[in-house]
Amino acid sequence: MTIPTRAAITAVHGYLPPDLLTNAELARMVDTSDAWITERTGIKERHILKGAGLGTSHMGAEAVRGLLTKTRTRPEDIELLICATTTPDFVHPCTANLICDMVGIRNIGSFDVQAACSGFIYALIVARQFIETGTYKRVVVVGADKMSAIVDYTDRATCVLFGDGAAAVMLEPSADGNGILDAVLRSDGSGAK
């Protein structure tokens, strides 16, 4: 019996910007308190990317650099990079293209996936298919968002939830049958209002 090739996550690396936005600071911006936020979310602080000209791609590049270092992978060994983001730096070029440029990854396919909170899962499933069909052997999937750029800091229902950060995973074939076994993707646009 032949064991099917599965895509496996072989490494993970994340990046959080150093600046923090605490619950106490939010309480000075909007009608809330540390107790109110903590009771409802468990969140005490969130990381915020500060600095002129810094966007989602900068955090994504840091996550990918760390991933390559951790796995001792050269940039030229990456065959595809997919970035899941709701806060791209620009409409074009896509954030994945910018990340590749910053990290020194050249002449590969790279593109963004935008599906809000579930974007990383969608990107992971897309990447999985490239591995399982044998098209690529080493794919990087990045999930990155600079939510501080789009959050309404006068809306206490949402501003307490979001911060900035990025993570990257390496997907490679697994010959022993371990890896991503299945996925079910569903959505319902009727709840938009």
Side-chain angles (χ1 to χ4, degrees), residues 31-65:
D31 181 23
T32 192
S33 68
D34 176 60
W36 188 90
I37 297 168
T38 303
E39 178 182 317
R40 287 161 179 79
T41 69
I43 299 169
K44 289 288 197 180
E45 60 190 20
R46 61 251 355 107
H47 290 261
I48 303 294
L49 180 64
K50 293 183 179 180
L54 297 180
T56 299
S57 64
H58 295 84
M59 295 182 294
E62 288 297 326
V64 172
R65 277 188 201 102

Side-chain angles (χ1 to χ4, degrees), residues 45-165:
E45 60 190 20
R46 61 251 355 107
H47 290 261
I48 303 294
L49 180 64
K50 293 183 179 180
L54 297 180
T56 299
S57 64
H58 295 84
M59 295 182 294
E62 288 297 326
V64 172
R65 277 188 201 102
L67 184 73
L68 295 178
T69 299
K70 182 186 279 185
T71 60
R72 296 185 181 134
T73 302
R74 299 173 307 160
E76 56 268 26
D77 293 333
I78 302 303
E79 298 172 283
L80 177 69
L81 188 141
I82 304 171
C83 180
T85 186
T86 298
T87 57
D89 295 23
F90 308 104
V91 174
H92 59 81
C94 71
T95 304
N97 296 158
L98 297 172
I99 291 169
C100 285
D101 182 55
M102 290 176 191
V103 177
I105 297 172
R106 304 281 185 259
N107 298 315
I108 67 163
S110 63
F111 59 91
D112 289 354
V113 170
Q114 198 282 340
C117 297
S118 57
F120 180 81
I121 299 299
Y122 278 81
L124 188 67
I125 299 312
V126 169
R128 166 191 167 207
Q129 295 174 48
F130 282 104
I131 296 286
E132 291 182 354
T133 61
T135 305
Y136 297 121
K137 300 242 183 273
R138 194 167 285 137
V139 178
V140 171
V141 178
V142 179
D145 273 307
K146 184 180 178 184
M147 294 302 290
S148 64
I150 64 170
V151 165
D152 177 359
Y153 284 103
T154 64
D155 176 11
R156 106 172 160 168
T158 58
C159 74
V160 301
L161 298 174
F162 299 106
D164 303 334

